[in-house]
Amino acid sequence: MVLVFAEASNGKFKKAAFEAVTYGAKTAAALGTECHALTLGEADAAGELGRYGAQKVYHLNAPELATFDSAVYTAAIAGAAQAIGAKVIVLMHNSTGKNLVGRLAARLEAGSAPGVNALPKVEGGKFTVRKAVFSGKAFAEVEILTDYKIISLAGNSIPVEESGAAVAVESLNVALPAPKTKVLETKRAEGITPLPEAELVVSGGRGLKGPENWGVITDLADALGATTACSRPVADVHWRPHHEHVGQTGVAIRPNLYIAAGISGAIQHLAGVNSSKTIVVINKDPEAPFFKAADYGVVGDLFEVLPRLTEAIKKHKGV
Amino acid sequence: MKLLVCVSKTPETTTKIQLTPDQAALDERGVNYIMNPYDEWYALVRAMELKEAVGGTVTLLNVGPADNDAVIRKGLAIGADDAIRVDATEGGSLFIARQIAAQAKEGAYDIIFFGKETIDCNGSEVGAMVAELLDLAYVGDASKLEVNGTAATVTRDIEGGVQVVEVNTPFALSAAKGMAEQRIPNMRGIMMAKTKPLKVVPAVEASPTTRVQHYDLPPAKSAVRLIDPENMDELVRLLHEEAKVI
Ligand SMILES: Cc1cc2nc3c(=O)[nH]c(=O)nc-3n(C[C@H](O)[C@H](O)[C@H](O)COP(=O)(O)OP(=O)(O)OC[C@H]3O[C@@H](n4cnc5c(N)ncnc54)[C@H](O)[C@@H]3O)c2cc1C
Ligand SMILES: Cc1cc2nc3c(=O)[nH]c(=O)nc-3n(C[C@H](O)[C@H](O)[C@H](O)COP(=O)(O)OP(=O)(O)OC[C@H]3O[C@@H](n4cnc5c(N)ncnc54)[C@H](O)[C@@H]3O)c2cc1C
């Protein structure tokens, strides 16, 4: 059996949860077994996960699960897997998943693969997954050797697919330990799709010259409905908040579209963005290394090109 | 405070990744190794700052072969008091975590620091594994740490924001950008590092849980298609009709 931990954020499921359930359902089909989903804490309409292929959906809600604690969530997920006899556990490769994959692997003495980006290969009794290594500069095919297998799915790796219908939500009895941490505060920029989940990203570098010039980036992002990002030096000098920093030492992203303006394309920057499906580079220097990694390039002054692109997008959208 | 900082060795960030002809491993010719940046810049430096503020010791721990000693000495030059290397040639996150857990248990540390992830395997899991093995609280992707006696406030990065968490020692965390600023070792530190204790201990038994079958490189990008900077309608058309991303 495959168990998917589908995380809800403020009670709502996001696309990444549907991707994980889709992944779990396809993995279960390859293994000739069922896919069940589990959600913890506050969650609305969990039965909807059935649409993406979960044959059963369990919802556990207890005071200990109201805020995130890695030890409690681990006990809940491992306990649920044991209760239903699931051997493959699929999580989302986000901040929650990163706190859980290792704990679950240690608890269940399982092989783990954080951040897989394709469906597993199931052949001749072997279970092999694919993940990016060397910060996106290479891929590894990793065989999981143990009975229990813990996988987290990198966002935007597989398309969400509907293959079923909503199901009734069931409860489960799992013993939970007392939390070891207490959440004091959660601060989130409202109304913006966070970078790791964004399908469209517009990013600016030192070529912008200063924070006062960011309007050309945010105007384009607004027109597209994209999330904004930046290169590391830009975040280092606080032109932009540090959660916008993408690259090897920042957020690693894999959007459908990455538009980079005034960014030279240093190897450490590319490491975090080269899994993007389509890359557009705008730079006044035709020799900028980023053009080698780009699908589409515009050699020109970003202060002229970006507003033109924004207008063209608005025209395309009929605004 | 007794602080433990787990450090790994990774290829330098500008390394051009090339594989051996059988694609079974990284072609190590010409590769320079460094201390994993998250471990050095953020975990180790924050541990040093805490030691400077409240007293105590900073111990480095690495699991790996004798080649790793240069990286460990760099950590000692930055200011750690002593170091342990668990002598091992095998890898695998859970294997490494079991080695760290065995040492950490013996040392009874107040805080165990990890990096957010290694920049070679990008696992982001060893710290959480150790926490589970030792039944400790764990806070991943921590960008800020304040300690007040046995209580600590840790800020962790979450999608599009942060979460502030209260935790008591002993606990484990993984350090992300923001936790501290990189420190360059000075001459005195480098000289002193040569005589600081580096204990080498044998590995405990642990069987492998994963095996890398092979590596491959991303397919070469086809040449960039240049668009006339005056004609952004054409770019929009291509993004819509050809790339199908908008
Ligand atoms: C260990 C390590 C880790 C690192 N990690 C990261 C990381 O995670 N992310 C990251 O981004 N960097 C990282 N870096 C830094 C990286 O090496 C580069 O220094 C950085 O990416 C450069 O940022 P940039 O492209 O914005 O600036 P620059 O390299 O200065 O490039 C600015 C570009 O703007 C162009 N430009 C200027 N004016 C205009 C204009 N009017 N119109 C159009 N184009 C214009 C220029 O031609 C130039 O190409 C790391 C470095 C190290 C050593
Ligand atoms: C080229 C290559 C080949 C590999 N081959 C195999 C293989 O055949 N089989 C296999 O199972 N695995 C293999 N691995 C994986 C590897 O052995 C470990 O899994 C890996 O070093 C741990 O990395 P991680 O990304 O999971 O660590 P993360 O979980 O990302 O590390 C988080 C933190 O844990 C600490 N940490 C990590 N490693 C160590 C360490 N060695 N000593 C002390 N602290 C540490 C650091 O603080 C680090 O920042 C290979 C890795 C590479 C790069």
Side-chain angles (χ1 to χ4, degrees), chain A residues 14 188-195 197-198 226-228 243-244, chain B residues 159-160:
Chain A
K14 294 201 188 152
R188 234 191 277 262
E190 293 305 327
I192 306 169
T193 309
L195 268 180
E197 296 164 13
T227 301
T228 51
H243 64 78
E244 283 197 2
Chain B
E159 285 64 34

Side-chain angles (χ1 to χ4, degrees), chain A residues 88-120:
Chain A
V88 178
I89 304 179
V90 178
L91 298 95
M92 293 142 65
H93 191 60
N94 58 9
S95 61
T96 305
K98 287 177 192 175
N99 278 269
L100 294 175
V101 169
R103 288 201 92 118
L104 283 166
R107 190 179 186 96
L108 298 171
E109 306 196 357
S112 49
V116 304
N117 59 22
L119 289 166

Side-chain angles (χ1 to χ4, degrees), chain A residues 206 209 231-232 245-246 248-249 264 268-269 283 302:
Chain A
R206 267 210 303 232
K209 306 279 184 312
S231 67
R232 178 169 143 199
H245 156 198
V246 291
Q248 181 146 33
T249 48
S264 57
Q268 298 96 349
H269 184 85
N283 199 302
L302 68 89

Side-chain angles (χ1 to χ4, degrees), chain B residues 46-239:
Chain B
R46 188 68 192 117
M48 289 305 307
E49 290 171 353
L50 280 180
K51 174 193 151 155
E52 286 154 12
V54 300
T57 53
V58 174
T59 300
L60 296 174
L61 174 56
N62 172 259
V63 181
D67 307 351
N68 292 9
D69 286 353
V71 159
I72 301 174
R73 290 281 173 208
K74 179 164 188 206
L76 293 170
I78 291 172
D81 297 279
D82 59 351
I84 305 168
R85 179 170 60 79
V86 179
D87 194 34
T89 46
E90 304 104 291
S93 307
L94 194 53
F95 173 88
I96 290 169
R98 287 196 193 282
Q99 308 308 321
I100 295 173
Q103 296 304 317
K105 200 168 181 178
E106 213 163 288
Y109 298 93
D110 295 300
I111 307 176
I112 310 177
F113 288 83
F114 295 87
K116 159 178 139 160
E117 63 179 28
T118 65
I119 60 165
D120 48 7
C121 295
N122 308 112
S124 58
E125 57 179 348
V126 170
M129 285 174 172
V130 173
E132 184 68 18
L133 293 171
L134 297 175
D135 195 22
L136 293 176
Y138 174 73
V139 186
D141 289 6
S143 52
K144 197 171 171 201
L145 165 69
E146 297 299 339
V147 180
N148 190 351
T150 58
T153 314
V154 191
T155 303
R156 72 178 184 104
D157 292 345
I158 58 172
E159 285 64 34
V162 294
Q163 187 164 69
V164 186
V165 174
E166 190 178 78
V167 57
N168 287 309
T169 58
F171 67 92
L173 63 75
S174 79
K177 189 186 174 203
M179 170 142 299
E181 296 283 343
Q182 183 181 8
R183 282 189 186 181
I184 310 291
N186 58 25
M187 215 44 214
R188 185 163 168 270
I190 294 168
M191 295 311 293
M192 281 172 65
K194 295 193 172 130
T195 56
K196 285 183 180 170
L198 192 172
K199 184 166 84 173
V200 180
V201 300
V204 296
E205 274 299 313
S207 33
T209 55
T210 55
R211 186 187 303 131
V212 176
Q213 295 291 13
H214 70 266
Y215 294 92
D216 52 273
L217 299 175
K221 275 252 177 195
S222 47
V224 57
R225 178 147 172 190
L226 290 179
I227 319 287
D228 175 4
E230 303 288 338
N231 191 356
M232 287 299 101
D233 289 331
E234 172 65 1
L235 177 58
V236 171
R237 186 189 69 78
L238 288 167
L239 291 176

